[in-house]
Amino acid sequence: YTDKSGGNMTTDDSACSSVDGEFVSRAKKEFKKYSGRGIALAVPEVPLEARMKLLELATKYRLFRVASFNSEEMSGVIEAGVLEKVDLLCINLDEAASGIKININDFKPDQIVDRAVKAFTNINPGLHLSITHGKDGSYVWDGTEISYLPAIKVDIVSTAGAGDAFTSGLIAGIVAGYSLKEAQQLATLAGSCSVTSPH
C-alpha cells in the first residue's frame, strides 16, 4: 500500500485454500519419519481445519509445534482447545488482544502482552509465546519471563511478510540451540531485513 504497509491477499481458489485435514493426513509417513525431532508450522495461509489436523498429528508424533492464528480465529481456537497442542504461539498484538477479548486501543502494549501470557499459559502452562508489534518491537514469553526487544530502525519499503520473516528467524534460532530470548534477536534481524524489500 502507499503507506508502505503490506497485507495478505487470500483467494478462494488458491492452492493453499485446497489444503484440508485429509490432505495433511496423507503426510503421516513424514510425521512418523521425523517423530520427536521435527517441526510443525501451522500458519494462516492454509485453512484452520488443516492447521488443526497438522497440530493433532504433530502432537501424536512429538514434533515441536509452532502456530499462528489471525484475529478472527483466536476466540474459536481458544474455545476449541487448540492452544493445548501448541509449543510456540506466534501472533501480533492485535491477535493477542482478540484472543483475550479486549480492545487493543484500551490498553498499553505491555498490559496486553501481560494479560495474554497469563490467559494463554493458564490454558497451556508449557506454552511459549511471541507477540510482535510492528515498528514498536516484539515480546517473547519463555516460560519464565517476558522479554521485550525494540525493532531495528530501518528504511521501510514494505511490511508485507515481516511477521513471517520474524517467525522464521525465531524458529531458526531455536533450531540453532538459542534460548527464546536469543532467538528473538535473530527474529528481529530477519523481520527488519524483510521490511527493506519491496517483495
Side-chain angles (χ1 to χ4, degrees):
Y1 302 112
T2 54
D3 68 354
K4 299 184 181 179
S5 67
N8 290 331
M9 184 174 73
T10 304
T11 60
D12 291 335
D13 61 351
S14 70
C16 289
S17 67
S18 65
V19 176
D20 59 14
E22 182 183 331
F23 184 87
V24 173
S25 292
R26 287 189 238 155
K28 277 185 184 178
K29 185 176 167 185
E30 296 301 314
F31 281 88
K32 190 172 184 179
K33 179 179 178 181
Y34 294 102
S35 182
R37 58 190 178 94
I39 298 170
L41 176 62
V43 291
E45 281 72 11
V46 298
L48 183 57
E49 174 204 354
R51 283 177 278 155
M52 290 172 71
K53 185 63 178 180
L54 179 79
L55 292 169
E56 177 188 315
L57 287 170
T59 300
K60 179 179 179 179
Y61 291 103
R62 303 178 328 278
L63 275 62
F64 183 69
R65 304 159 300 176
V66 182
S68 182
F69 306 99
N70 66 41
S71 297
E72 292 76 29
E73 295 170 333
M74 285 299 294
S75 292
V77 161
I78 291 167
E79 290 167 14
V82 178
L83 288 188
E84 295 168 15
K85 296 176 182 161
V86 176
D87 297 304
L88 174 61
L89 178 63
C90 298
I91 55 177
N92 63 35
L93 195 67
D94 185 69
E95 292 157 350
S98 178
I100 54 175
K101 298 180 181 177
I102 62 171
N103 186 320
I104 193 170
N105 299 314
D106 292 343
F107 298 89
K108 293 179 180 177
D110 58 331
Q111 293 174 315
I112 296 171
V113 170
D114 188 57
R115 287 173 178 233
V117 166
K118 287 176 182 167
F120 300 157
T121 58
N122 188 48
I123 296 166
N124 177 355
L127 183 70
H128 291 91
L129 189 62
S130 164
I131 301 176
T132 57
H133 188 36
K135 64 179 177 50
D136 294 316
S138 65
Y139 301 81
V140 295
W141 165 255
D142 65 1
T144 305
E145 65 178 343
I146 296 171
S147 170
Y148 168 76
L149 195 61
I152 297 169
K153 303 298 180 199
V154 295
D155 291 330
I156 299 171
V157 176
S158 171
T159 60
D164 292 336
F166 185 93
T167 298
S168 298
L170 203 58
I171 294 169
I174 292 167
V175 169
Y178 298 149
S179 68
L180 189 58
K181 190 174 178 179
E182 292 168 330
Q184 181 186 18
Q185 295 176 42
L186 180 61
T188 299
L189 287 171
S192 296
C193 286
S194 173
V195 300
T196 65
S197 170
H199 307 293

